[in-house]
Amino acid sequence: MDMNSNQTSPVMAFVLLGLSAHPKLEKTFFMLILLMYLVILLGNGVLILVTILDSHLDTPMYFFLGNLSFLDICYTTSSVPLTFNSFLTPRKTISFSACAVQMFLSFAMGATECVLLSVMAFDRYVAICNPLRYSEVMSKATYVPMAASSWVAGSLTAMVQTSLAMRLPFCGDNIINHFTCEILAVLKLACADISVNVISMGVGNVIFLGVPVLLITFSYVFIIATILRIPSAEGRRKGFSTCSAHLTVVIVFYGTILFMYGKPKSKDLLGADKQDLADKLISLSYGVVTPMLNPIIYSLRNKDVKGAVRSLYVLVCLTL
């Protein structure tokens, strides 16, 4: 009777395992992630500033870029502080409600970025394949609701997935084998049937991963076909330069996801332990590497952004 009572007692908090078994790695990765987080805040913060302050960047493409930069800051901020806490404190606990909030924010930012990247691909498609109608199609009355709908869609799916996960009974092991309340790691602790969650996440993956990938792919098929029909080499170069930064970001974003979830699982116990550590480090790196690379990619591969950043730097230097 007592045993049954213990098994069904509700979990009020979770323990984040993180890298507890590798204390030396904790110190190393704390410094590394801290440095990368500061670069994320600085790089994306500068991009947001230049898209707001520079009148030459008052276009749909840079409006979406400002949203992407703000999204990257929100995404990393939803998880990195919790990761720091797991590195610095011996008892790595998080309350049930805080876990739900962190899961929602992380899930919402990831889903929103998938939709936003497809919206940005559509913007490039219209600009290159139908330039004469660009200002008409991508008017402010169009691109602002498109960006807003990305945020709403990401928040709605996160609300559904988080509510389905956190309504499950957790009775027993409350140790999450992760740095944060990653939804798959949390679902492993449920002592009930999670088939509804699996189906829901499968549908969500199709909508928020599959559909955006298809839209991006079709957009770039038409974009590349249009650029290749341009007679002059200079025209083709200019056409590719207008979308190369976005395409690079897309490849980095989806390529990392495919690498994380598409690699084969090890079957032997020793290999599984090593893979578990590798999975954690890859997941940790993914959460900061992609948001860190985005502003670097746009600064290096987009001359308008590069010029705006340079102008902002000169302005700050003159002010100081």
Side-chain angles (χ1 to χ4, degrees):
M1 190 71 178
D2 290 337
M3 184 180 296
N4 185 57
S5 175
N6 290 334
Q7 288 177 343
T8 57
S9 59
V11 170
M12 303 304 295
F14 294 103
V15 177
L16 298 171
L17 195 58
L19 291 176
S20 299
H22 307 274
K24 292 182 179 179
L25 285 179
E26 284 188 324
K27 297 176 182 178
T28 302
F29 272 88
F30 171 77
M31 295 305 300
L32 181 62
I33 299 302
L34 177 60
L35 178 62
M36 296 172 77
Y37 184 54
L38 293 176
V39 172
I40 289 168
L41 294 179
L42 178 62
N44 286 287
V46 168
L47 274 187
I48 293 171
L49 275 179
V50 297
T51 56
I52 293 173
L53 299 177
D54 196 316
S55 58
H56 296 97
L57 303 184
D58 187 19
T59 64
M61 180 175 77
Y62 297 112
F63 176 76
F64 292 137
L65 177 58
N67 273 261
L68 181 64
S69 295
F70 181 65
L71 179 64
D72 284 337
I73 291 176
C74 292
Y75 179 71
T76 51
T77 303
S78 71
S79 58
V80 167
L82 192 59
T83 303
F84 286 160
N85 183 66
S86 74
F87 286 155
L88 296 175
T89 57
R91 186 63 177 169
K92 311 166 193 301
T93 58
I94 181 172
S95 68
F96 190 88
S97 57
C99 185
V101 171
Q102 192 276 321
M103 181 188 295
F104 167 79
L105 291 174
S106 182
F107 207 105
M109 298 306 105
T112 301
E113 183 154 356
C114 291
V115 179
L116 188 60
L117 287 175
S118 66
V119 168
M120 294 172 76
F122 176 74
D123 171 72
R124 293 299 81 208
Y125 161 76
V126 178
I128 293 174
C129 299
N130 207 345
L132 297 179
R133 295 192 59 210
Y134 180 73
S135 58
E136 177 189 346
V137 175
M138 296 302 294
S139 65
K140 193 168 186 177
T142 301
Y143 69 78
V144 172
M146 288 175 73
S149 66
S150 301
W151 288 89
V152 171
S155 298
L156 286 176
T157 188
M159 190 178 298
V160 170
Q161 302 299 346
T162 303
S163 60
L164 286 176
M166 303 312 282
R167 72 175 178 80
L168 292 168
F170 299 94
C171 42
D173 191 4
N174 67 335
I175 299 175
I176 298 175
N177 190 20
H178 212 277
F179 300 99
T180 63
C181 291
E182 200 267 340
I183 190 167
L184 294 178
V186 173
L187 288 178
K188 291 178 180 179
L189 306 182
C191 52
D193 182 26
I194 61 170
S195 57
V196 173
N197 303 78
V198 173
I199 293 170
S200 177
M201 289 188 66
V203 173
N205 287 340
V206 170
I207 296 173
F208 287 92
L209 283 175
V211 173
V213 166
L214 284 177
L215 291 175
I216 292 169
T217 301
F218 282 126
S219 294
Y220 274 100
V221 166
F222 287 111
I223 287 171
I224 293 171
T226 300
I227 292 175
L228 292 177
R229 287 199 298 267
I230 298 175
S232 68
E234 178 63 22
R236 290 194 296 272
R237 187 197 64 78
K238 187 177 180 180
F240 279 118
S241 68
T242 60
C243 59
S244 61
H246 174 259
L247 184 58
T248 305
V249 167
V250 167
I251 291 172
V252 170
F253 181 75
Y254 285 104
T256 311
I257 291 177
L258 288 175
F259 178 76
M260 282 175 61
Y261 296 106
K263 62 184 185 301
K265 301 295 182 182
S266 177
K267 292 182 179 179
D268 66 280
L269 186 60
L270 182 61
D273 290 339
K274 290 182 178 179
Q275 185 176 35
D276 178 62
L277 175 61
D279 288 345
K280 288 180 183 180
L281 297 181
I282 291 169
S283 175
L284 180 62
S285 301
Y286 165 72
V288 290
V289 169
T290 304
M292 183 186 70
L293 288 179
N294 287 351
I296 296 174
I297 292 169
Y298 270 97
S299 297
L300 293 177
R301 303 188 68 88
N302 187 293
K303 64 178 183 179
D304 293 330
V305 172
K306 191 185 298 184
V309 171
R310 190 181 296 115
S311 298
L312 180 63
Y313 175 74
V314 171
L315 180 62
V316 170
C317 290
L318 291 174
T319 304
L320 296 176

